[in-house]
Amino acid sequence: MTTEATADTPPRPEFLALGGFYKSALEPWLEAHEGRRRRARLLRWIIIGGGFALLAVCFYYVVTDEWDDFWIFAVFFGAIAVVVVGNVPLWNLKSDVKKFVMNELAGFFKFTYEAKPSFDGVDLFRDLDLLPYHTRASFEDGLKGEIKGVPFQMVEAHLRERRGTGKSAKIVTVFRGLLLSLPCRFTGPLAVWRRENSPRTSNEEWRETPLGDPVFDGAYVVHAANAGAAHERLDAEARRVFTALDRRDDVDNVRLGLTEGRLLLVVERGADSFEAGKMNRPLADPDRIQAIVDLFAFPFDAVDAFKLQPGAPATVAGGAAVQGSA
């Protein structure tokens, strides 16, 4: 079990031992819980099948005997309850599998995993228009640690916006994906979006900066206050890795920001990350774990692509210095 930054590059050295780790630590636990998966699936069909049969009989008597409309609604909500109760054993199993796998993989990489992490860096993402306007934010599945001495934090974010007023008000999801933050010497501001999704700006100090790469410039928009620094930071290797990340099958799009001594990566997915997957296949199916492992590659790719180094001072506006990385 390995993961790659692109299809034509060899596996990362940090991931080479994952195959043996899977065999020794993950597979035995998953196989030990395979019976639980089968029982949960069988119980779901028994509950749902039996419950719906009973509700069908009830619905027949409600319709033929012209009972009050209340009983029609009762049958409807009863059907919802049957589906929920029937799926509870599988939901509990998926939760247990996720917690086990995430904690084990985090330990393998010497990271820390938090199911409900705190994350106070959203404002930096918003300042660069990397995230949409939202009124509610929740975070889960947080990873913290160091890669080659460079500290990072990555969380899964669910951002929502309240739209409308009164009875017509509704809560709409505006973003679901991963947010990654690492220290970086470059203070920016600099941001990269797909050209078709780029925000409009009239700020002359925050202008579009072509990099002289026709393919990249055709696909992406770069806004930066310092054109020379943008060319330096977004060199050929950084552009190659960023493009490869954005073209991954398991992401919708990727956005990049550099500001105030932080490198910010937004990975929009439109679906939950780090999930255990469907329960219609064996728990020990390696593809189930591979889908989670692939997401662990993002901070490794960022550290390598932007040549981040530990402990280098980062100069901020006004001449002050903060600890960051190159």
Side-chain angles (χ1 to χ4, degrees):
M1 179 176 298
T2 59
T3 191
E4 302 177 6
T6 62
D8 57 352
T9 58
R12 290 188 167 280
E14 300 91 347
F15 289 77
L16 289 177
L18 274 174
F21 178 74
Y22 171 78
K23 287 292 184 181
S24 63
L26 299 181
E27 188 177 52
W29 188 94
L30 294 171
E31 289 181 341
H33 286 74
E34 178 61 20
R36 180 183 170 189
R37 181 191 72 87
R38 295 174 180 174
R39 290 191 298 272
R41 281 174 54 82
L42 177 60
L43 184 60
R44 178 178 66 174
W45 292 119
I46 291 175
I47 293 174
I48 293 178
F52 271 61
L54 179 60
L55 287 171
V57 173
C58 294
F59 184 74
Y60 172 79
Y61 281 107
V62 167
V63 173
T64 56
D65 290 352
E66 297 183 353
W67 287 13
D68 190 272
D69 289 346
F70 166 81
W71 294 105
I72 295 179
F73 285 105
V75 170
F76 173 76
F77 287 108
I80 296 176
V82 166
V83 172
V84 170
V85 172
N87 279 286
V88 164
L90 279 176
W91 290 341
N92 289 338
L93 175 59
K94 290 178 68 173
S95 177
D96 291 345
V97 170
K98 174 180 176 177
K99 290 177 183 177
F100 171 77
V101 172
M102 288 299 292
N103 277 297
E104 290 295 313
L105 287 176
F108 174 83
F109 291 109
K110 296 181 172 58
F111 299 159
T112 299
Y113 169 69
E114 294 181 90
K116 297 295 181 180
S118 59
F119 188 75
D120 57 4
V122 173
D123 287 345
L124 288 178
F125 288 85
R126 281 286 301 127
D127 289 345
L128 296 183
D129 290 325
L130 297 176
L131 291 175
Y133 172 79
H134 58 276
T135 54
R136 301 184 182 185
S138 59
F139 306 102
E140 61 183 14
D141 299 329
L143 291 171
K144 286 184 178 180
E146 291 187 356
I147 296 174
K148 299 179 180 178
V150 179
F152 78 92
Q153 182 179 14
M154 184 167 69
V155 299
E156 180 180 2
H158 184 193
L159 308 181
R160 292 167 289 177
E161 179 187 356
R162 179 183 174 87
R163 295 178 180 174
T165 59
K167 294 182 179 180
S168 63
K170 59 182 179 179
I171 304 298
V172 179
T173 294
V174 294
F175 175 85
R176 189 187 294 272
L178 300 174
L179 305 182
L180 172 64
S181 176
L182 307 98
C184 178
R185 179 188 297 273
F186 185 72
T187 58
L190 180 151
V192 184
W193 308 269
R194 280 187 186 175
R195 183 164 292 277
E196 66 268 23
N197 302 128
S198 62
R200 296 180 180 179
T201 178
S202 58
N203 187 345
E204 289 299 320
E205 296 181 356
W206 173 245
R207 65 187 67 186
E208 182 174 348
T209 305
L211 299 179
D213 179 337
V215 175
F216 191 87
D217 290 337
Y220 301 100
V221 171
V222 178
H223 280 185
N226 186 316
H231 281 78
E232 178 183 353
R233 283 299 170 188
L234 297 175
D235 61 13
E237 176 63 10
R239 296 196 302 271
R240 182 189 68 81
V241 174
F242 178 82
T243 302
L245 292 177
D246 188 49
R247 292 177 178 175
R248 282 177 49 155
D249 293 336
D250 56 351
V251 305
D252 292 342
N253 70 80
V254 176
R255 300 185 285 277
L256 172 72
L258 294 160
T259 185
E260 298 184 20
R262 306 298 299 179
L263 185 148
L264 311 173
L265 197 66
V266 175
V267 181
E268 188 163 7
R269 304 191 70 237
D272 287 338
S273 303
F274 301 116
E275 293 303 313
K278 296 181 179 179
M279 293 289 110
N280 59 353
R281 52 196 171 100
L283 289 181
D285 183 345
D287 289 341
R288 184 188 303 280
I289 310 304
Q290 187 67 55
I292 296 177
V293 168
D294 287 342
L295 300 179
F296 274 69
F298 283 110
F300 288 91
D301 289 336
V303 169
D304 286 351
F306 293 93
K307 304 175 181 64
L308 303 183
Q309 300 293 329
T315 302
V316 299
V322 297
Q323 285 303 111
S325 50

